[in-house]
Amino acid sequence: MLLELQWGRTKTSVTVPTNGCTIGSTDASNVVIAAPFLEPVHAMIERRGSDWWAAPATTAGLILLNGETVREAKLTSGDVLRLADRVGNFATVRVRRDTSRPAHTSALRGALPALNHTLVIGSGSASDIRLDHPLVRPRHALLRRDDDGALWLEDRTTVAGTYVNGKRLKADRPRDR
């Protein structure tokens, strides 16, 4: 598993060994983030079967997964962890692609749908066009070709939205006649 660590302007990447690691503010941890608000051993990353898990190492160490405080969390590619104190200071840990497993193909370009067909764009493994990013939902958008051959892109009402050439798509709702 590859982790990207960031605190302030310091950014680094580490590969978690197969037996896991600890993250904290001192050499008592395997991975050190020199943030004074972190516990010396703040979090533990461990492998359970084929999955990776994160948990606080002490009761004082807070972990937030995608914005929610957790006691433990199963980690997947794209997750964002915050190692925090109770005041609001935090360091960011991004879970990158797990290099110990076969990679899913991720595409910025893909085949266009055939007439009267739809492709799913998203972060889910079942997506036709897979985008590995924390803001991309499993079924984020649909790309459809109608009977006339016109292409339609539809946001699946995601919070992050779908953008074309820097402009957010707006939903065109059918109006009652």
Side-chain angles (χ1 to χ4, degrees):
M1 167 178 289
L2 181 65
L3 299 178
E4 181 182 280
L5 310 167
Q6 183 174 359
W7 176 63
R9 293 183 181 181
T10 304
K11 192 177 203 179
T12 187
S13 294
V14 297
T15 300
V16 178
T18 56
N19 62 342
C21 72
T22 56
I23 303 172
S25 63
T26 70
D27 288 336
S29 294
N30 306 111
V31 177
V32 177
I33 301 174
F37 56 86
L38 290 180
E39 294 296 308
V41 180
H42 195 95
M44 299 178 298
I45 307 293
E46 65 181 357
R47 188 172 215 143
R48 297 183 197 161
S50 62
D51 297 320
W52 287 98
W53 289 78
T58 68
T59 55
L62 293 178
I63 295 180
L64 289 83
L65 175 63
N66 300 325
E68 299 292 326
T69 303
V70 295
R71 290 181 192 239
E72 67 175 7
K74 181 179 169 186
L75 301 176
T76 59
S77 183
D79 282 342
V80 176
L81 294 174
R82 304 273 194 235
L83 306 182
D85 65 7
R86 300 200 186 284
V87 178
N89 298 305
F90 65 86
T92 301
V93 178
R94 287 182 178 81
V95 179
R96 295 300 184 200
R97 183 173 309 283
D98 185 348
T99 56
S100 67
R101 295 184 184 182
H104 294 285
T105 55
S106 179
L108 293 177
R109 296 176 190 228
L112 295 175
L115 287 176
N116 243 350
H117 283 85
T118 301
L119 296 177
V120 175
I121 301 169
S123 61
S125 60
S127 297
D128 299 303
I129 299 174
R130 191 167 185 282
L131 300 175
D132 186 20
H133 191 276
L135 293 179
V136 176
R137 306 291 306 154
R139 293 180 50 89
H140 194 93
L142 300 177
L143 180 62
R144 178 176 56 89
R145 187 183 296 266
D146 66 16
D147 290 331
D148 298 326
L151 290 171
W152 298 86
L153 181 62
E154 175 188 344
D155 179 69
R156 302 299 294 158
T157 63
T158 60
V159 174
T162 300
Y163 293 77
V164 175
N165 295 330
K167 294 185 181 185
R168 187 173 183 159
L169 292 181
K170 293 183 183 177
D172 287 334
R173 305 255 186 240
R175 296 186 182 139
D176 294 330
R177 294 182 189 216

